[in-house]
Amino acid sequence: MFFHLDFTSPLPIYEQIVRGIKFAVAAGGIAPNELIPSVRDLARDLAINPNTVARAYRTLQDDAVVFAKRGTGLAVAPNAPQKCRIQRLEIFQTRFRQFLDDARRSGLSELEIDEIVKQE
Amino acid sequence: MFFHLDFTSPLPIYEQIVRGIKFAVAAGGIAPNELIPSVRDLARDLAINPNTVARAYRTLQDDAVVFAKRGTGLAVAPNAPQKCRIQRLEIFQTRFRQFLDDARRSGLSELEIDEIVKQE
Amino acid sequence: MFFHLDFTSPLPIYEQIVRGIKFAVAAGGIAPNELIPSVRDLARDLAINPNTVARAYRTLQDDAVVFAKRGTGLAVAPNAPQKCRIQRLEIFQTRFRQFLDDARRSGLSELEIDEIVKQE
Amino acid sequence: MFFHLDFTSPLPIYEQIVRGIKFAVAAGGIAPNELIPSVRDLARDLAINPNTVARAYRTLQDDAVVFAKRGTGLAVAPNAPQKCRIQRLEIFQTRFRQFLDDARRSGLSELEIDEIVKQE
DNA sequence: GTGGTCTAGACCACC
DNA sequence: GTGGTCTAGACCACG
């Protein structure tokens, strides 16, 4: 499978699925025109409600990351890999920037923040 | 005032208040045995409902960051500054570690991650 | 139902609910992974406001006695029965010890205290 | 002094004072017609607000445990010792009975309850 | 004045 | 359907 779920995360399950698929596409784990798992299969694999998967897939279609092949399933769009790579970068850039802002506003010194980052 | 609220954040307002007070205590903005703003005052200042502040203050009492002086208000606990500094560090350490884990699992290369971090 | 409320007690209703659920879990009335009554159901059964139940349930989550199954309800944590049994014992041990201390400090003789206890 | 205060107790301070005086009278620590400490003195000794002491003393007057000697202070009523002994007994009987009821309703077995009591 | 409890009801996200 | 957040306001105990 392409990703795992964190049920304790505040990020909703369906959003974790959306990102999981996008990141898999960005990383080349699923190629353009290749089918993604069926709603039923993925729901079984992840042990979650099919409605949740369906909602994630709807979002992916809205984002034009996948498109419906009638009677077959959902396939990765041709230009999706590039688009997903951009989105992936943006997601993590935004997140790091937010991290820094919050850390500074909390009263942590630049030194302490550096300390945290360097412990990577 | 010790902090401002981000009404667009997924982090609930009461949790933002909890952290705001903890960070203020960690940074020495409020000393042990000093009173924190009254429920009504803070609610007025932040332009939110007093109950929301009350809920945050309840959490702070549960965490033993403040204690009730009956009929007087809530005061910072003697050992709270140290505790809050530790918690603050943990919050941001965890958050950065999570950021790294997610970035790696998304298929981003170490190089790309470094790139994001260095843009600070 | 697992318990009843004493509206005349100084113990707040939400705290009575917390204890009621804990004691039910301790006694095996609700098994691990089993769902506890929904906020709305319990509020209706006890004829109180749903928010009061919600507040109790929040406390139970903070105590890790139950965990949220998103969109499904709250389920008893795996190790909760053991934990609840311990807490139950502690609650009553503390209370009896406090009773004894207070009785002694009030000037009651050991004989008089024994007298009270034996009338059980 | 006749008693100490527990600031963490849910029992209000003024009620703790009322009981402290009553128990002292019951135990013979203060004899009939003897003066109890002045509001100001007791407040200073206990490091609390004089209003709180005043409220307790008002209750004691209402209960006819003490009476005002104009221009002198509050003195213990002649029949107070007997009355206080009775009230003291009732307080602890009620409290023990409540303890037993609660313990039983919590699902503790008679054996476990006996165990707690015998550890006195 | 202080915080604490409870009610009532709106709105939201999630499944 | 589920719980979670927030608002609004009443009432109480305490100092």
Side-chain angles (χ1 to χ4, degrees), chain C residues 38-40 51 61 71-73:
Chain C
S38 84
V39 168
R40 289 160 175 86
N51 276 330
Q61 283 193 70
T72 309

Side-chain angles (χ1 to χ4, degrees), chain C residues 21-54:
Chain C
I21 298 284
K22 281 187 180 175
F23 292 167
V25 170
I30 326 175
N33 290 312
E34 209 173 316
L35 292 177
I36 64 175
S38 84
V39 168
R40 289 160 175 86
D41 279 0
L42 189 56
R44 192 172 31 69
D45 285 1
L46 298 176
I48 59 173
N49 188 293
N51 276 330
T52 306
V53 178

Side-chain angles (χ1 to χ4, degrees), chain D residues 20-91:
Chain D
I21 299 284
K22 281 187 180 174
F23 293 166
V25 170
I30 327 177
N33 290 312
E34 206 175 318
L35 291 178
I36 63 175
S38 78
V39 167
R40 217 161 278 159
D41 281 359
L42 189 56
R44 191 172 33 68
D45 286 1
L46 299 176
I48 59 176
N49 190 313
N51 282 331
T52 309
V53 178
R55 177 164 180 182
Y57 280 11
R58 223 179 306 129
T59 305
L60 287 167
Q61 287 188 70
D62 292 348
D63 283 8
V65 170
V66 299
F67 63 97
K69 279 189 163 172
R70 296 250 302 252
T72 313
L74 295 173
V76 173
N79 64 335
Q82 190 203 359
K83 187 192 296 188
C84 288
R85 275 195 297 275
I86 294 174
Q87 287 188 8
R88 182 177 58 176
L89 198 60
E90 284 173 350
I91 285 171

Side-chain angles (χ1 to χ4, degrees), chain A:
Chain A
M1 196 37 51
F2 313 116
F3 52 90
H4 11 319
L5 299 178
D6 177 0
F7 290 97
T8 71
S9 164
L11 209 64
I13 307 289
Y14 78 85
E15 180 62 26
Q16 293 185 44
I17 297 173
V18 168
R19 297 196 174 188
I21 299 284
K22 282 187 179 174
F23 292 167
V25 170
I30 328 176
N33 288 312
E34 207 174 318
L35 292 177
I36 64 175
S38 80
V39 167
R40 219 162 276 157
D41 281 0
L42 189 55
R44 192 172 31 70
D45 286 1
L46 298 175
I48 59 176
N49 191 312
N51 282 331
T52 309
V53 178
R55 176 164 180 183
Y57 280 12
R58 223 178 307 128
T59 304
L60 287 167
Q61 288 189 67
D62 292 348
D63 282 7
V65 170
V66 300
F67 63 97
K69 281 189 161 171
R70 295 249 302 250
T72 312
L74 295 173
V76 172
N79 65 334
Q82 190 203 359
K83 186 192 298 188
C84 289
R85 275 195 297 274
I86 293 173
Q87 287 187 10
R88 181 177 57 176
L89 197 60
E90 284 171 350
I91 286 171
F92 287 104
Q93 279 174 338
T94 303
R95 195 159 142 190
F96 185 69
R97 200 171 310 122
Q98 188 69 45
F99 162 79
L100 274 188
D101 286 355
D102 288 350
R104 282 175 184 138
R105 249 180 315 181
S106 82
L108 278 175
S109 68
E110 294 295 322
L111 205 89
E112 289 167 306
I113 298 174
D114 272 7
E115 202 60 35
I116 293 173
V117 170
K118 273 176 190 147
Q119 285 182 356
E120 54 168 338

